[in-house]
PDB file of all heavy atoms in Angstrom:
ATOM      1  N   GLY A  97     112.806 109.358 107.089  1.00  0.00           N
ATOM      2  CA  GLY A  97     113.043 108.080 106.490  1.00  0.00           C
ATOM      3  C   GLY A  97     114.133 108.034 105.483  1.00  0.00           C
ATOM      4  O   GLY A  97     114.490 106.925 104.966  1.00  0.00           O
ATOM      5  N   SER A  98     114.704 109.143 105.127  1.00  0.00           N
ATOM      6  CA  SER A  98     115.802 109.186 104.165  1.00  0.00           C
ATOM      7  C   SER A  98     117.087 108.768 104.850  1.00  0.00           C
ATOM      8  O   SER A  98     117.151 108.729 106.116  1.00  0.00           O
ATOM      9  CB  SER A  98     115.995 110.566 103.577  1.00  0.00           C
ATOM     10  OG  SER A  98     116.580 111.443 104.607  1.00  0.00           O
ATOM     11  N   PRO A  99     118.132 108.404 104.126  1.00  0.00           N
ATOM     12  CA  PRO A  99     119.393 108.045 104.784  1.00  0.00           C
ATOM     13  C   PRO A  99     119.899 109.157 105.701  1.00  0.00           C
ATOM     14  O   PRO A  99     120.347 108.832 106.809  1.00  0.00           O
ATOM     15  CB  PRO A  99     120.340 107.809 103.583  1.00  0.00           C
ATOM     16  CG  PRO A  99     119.436 107.327 102.517  1.00  0.00           C
ATOM     17  CD  PRO A  99     118.193 108.178 102.686  1.00  0.00           C
ATOM     18  N   VAL A 100     119.835 110.430 105.323  1.00  0.00           N
ATOM     19  CA  VAL A 100     120.275 111.522 106.163  1.00  0.00           C
ATOM     20  C   VAL A 100     119.388 111.605 107.374  1.00  0.00           C
ATOM     21  O   VAL A 100     119.835 111.807 108.526  1.00  0.00           O
ATOM     22  CB  VAL A 100     120.391 112.831 105.370  1.00  0.00           C
ATOM     23  CG1 VAL A 100     120.757 113.978 106.266  1.00  0.00           C
ATOM     24  CG2 VAL A 100     121.353 112.728 104.204  1.00  0.00           C
ATOM     25  N   GLY A 101     118.074 111.523 107.186  1.00  0.00           N
ATOM     26  CA  GLY A 101     117.125 111.558 108.292  1.00  0.00           C
ATOM     27  C   GLY A 101     117.311 110.443 109.280  1.00  0.00           C
ATOM     28  O   GLY A 101     117.237 110.622 110.479  1.00  0.00           O
ATOM     29  N   GLU A 102     117.607 109.251 108.731  1.00  0.00           N
ATOM     30  CA  GLU A 102     117.844 108.123 109.627  1.00  0.00           C
ATOM     31  C   GLU A 102     119.123 108.338 110.457  1.00  0.00           C
ATOM     32  O   GLU A 102     119.184 107.998 111.670  1.00  0.00           O
ATOM     33  CB  GLU A 102     117.927 106.815 108.824  1.00  0.00           C
ATOM     34  CG  GLU A 102     116.638 106.339 108.266  1.00  0.00           C
ATOM     35  CD  GLU A 102     116.703 105.085 107.419  1.00  0.00           C
ATOM     36  OE1 GLU A 102     117.794 104.575 107.241  1.00  0.00           O
ATOM     37  OE2 GLU A 102     115.622 104.682 106.955  1.00  0.00           O
ATOM     38  N   GLY A 103     120.147 108.966 109.849  1.00  0.00           N
ATOM     39  CA  GLY A 103     121.351 109.322 110.606  1.00  0.00           C
ATOM     40  C   GLY A 103     121.021 110.334 111.740  1.00  0.00           C
ATOM     41  O   GLY A 103     121.540 110.188 112.828  1.00  0.00           O
ATOM     42  N   PHE A 104     120.164 111.246 111.426  1.00  0.00           N
ATOM     43  CA  PHE A 104     119.725 112.216 112.427  1.00  0.00           C
ATOM     44  C   PHE A 104     119.033 111.502 113.603  1.00  0.00           C
ATOM     45  O   PHE A 104     119.353 111.795 114.793  1.00  0.00           O
ATOM     46  CB  PHE A 104     118.780 113.256 111.796  1.00  0.00           C
ATOM     47  CG  PHE A 104     118.114 114.167 112.765  1.00  0.00           C
ATOM     48  CD1 PHE A 104     118.746 115.299 113.215  1.00  0.00           C
ATOM     49  CD2 PHE A 104     116.824 113.904 113.181  1.00  0.00           C
ATOM     50  CE1 PHE A 104     118.155 116.200 114.140  1.00  0.00           C
ATOM     51  CE2 PHE A 104     116.206 114.810 114.059  1.00  0.00           C
ATOM     52  CZ  PHE A 104     116.825 115.927 114.530  1.00  0.00           C
ATOM     53  N   LEU A 105     118.121 110.581 113.286  1.00  0.00           N
ATOM     54  CA  LEU A 105     117.438 109.817 114.332  1.00  0.00           C
ATOM     55  C   LEU A 105     118.424 108.992 115.191  1.00  0.00           C
ATOM     56  O   LEU A 105     118.273 108.883 116.380  1.00  0.00           O
ATOM     57  CB  LEU A 105     116.381 108.968 113.724  1.00  0.00           C
ATOM     58  CG  LEU A 105     115.156 109.675 113.134  1.00  0.00           C
ATOM     59  CD1 LEU A 105     114.286 108.664 112.386  1.00  0.00           C
ATOM     60  CD2 LEU A 105     114.399 110.385 114.176  1.00  0.00           C
ATOM     61  N   GLN A 106     119.417 108.419 114.542  1.00  0.00           N
ATOM     62  CA  GLN A 106     120.402 107.666 115.241  1.00  0.00           C
ATOM     63  C   GLN A 106     121.213 108.579 116.208  1.00  0.00           C
ATOM     64  O   GLN A 106     121.545 108.185 117.334  1.00  0.00           O
ATOM     65  CB  GLN A 106     121.343 106.963 114.279  1.00  0.00           C
ATOM     66  CG  GLN A 106     120.653 105.798 113.557  1.00  0.00           C
ATOM     67  CD  GLN A 106     121.478 105.210 112.453  1.00  0.00           C
ATOM     68  OE1 GLN A 106     122.585 105.685 112.137  1.00  0.00           O
ATOM     69  NE2 GLN A 106     120.947 104.184 111.769  1.00  0.00           N
ATOM     70  N   ASP A 107     121.600 109.751 115.721  1.00  0.00           N
ATOM     71  CA  ASP A 107     122.309 110.748 116.537  1.00  0.00           C
ATOM     72  C   ASP A 107     121.483 111.110 117.770  1.00  0.00           C
ATOM     73  O   ASP A 107     121.979 111.168 118.917  1.00  0.00           O
ATOM     74  CB  ASP A 107     122.671 112.002 115.811  1.00  0.00           C
ATOM     75  CG  ASP A 107     123.733 111.746 114.703  1.00  0.00           C
ATOM     76  OD1 ASP A 107     124.398 110.698 114.707  1.00  0.00           O
ATOM     77  OD2 ASP A 107     123.880 112.660 113.845  1.00  0.00           O
ATOM     78  N   VAL A 108     120.178 111.354 117.574  1.00  0.00           N
ATOM     79  CA  VAL A 108     119.304 111.691 118.703  1.00  0.00           C
ATOM     80  C   VAL A 108     119.170 110.542 119.683  1.00  0.00           C
ATOM     81  O   VAL A 108     119.301 110.743 120.872  1.00  0.00           O
ATOM     82  CB  VAL A 108     117.897 112.165 118.179  1.00  0.00           C
ATOM     83  CG1 VAL A 108     116.948 112.252 119.268  1.00  0.00           C
ATOM     84  CG2 VAL A 108     118.036 113.457 117.354  1.00  0.00           C
ATOM     85  N   ALA A 109     118.975 109.352 119.115  1.00  0.00           N
ATOM     86  CA  ALA A 109     118.859 108.176 120.008  1.00  0.00           C
ATOM     87  C   ALA A 109     120.113 107.937 120.790  1.00  0.00           C
ATOM     88  O   ALA A 109     120.032 107.629 121.993  1.00  0.00           O
ATOM     89  CB  ALA A 109     118.539 106.921 119.171  1.00  0.00           C
TER      90      ALA A 109
END
Side-chain angles (χ1 to χ4, degrees):
S98 74
V100 176
E102 288 177 1
F104 172 81
L105 291 173
Q106 289 170 359
D107 291 346
V108 170

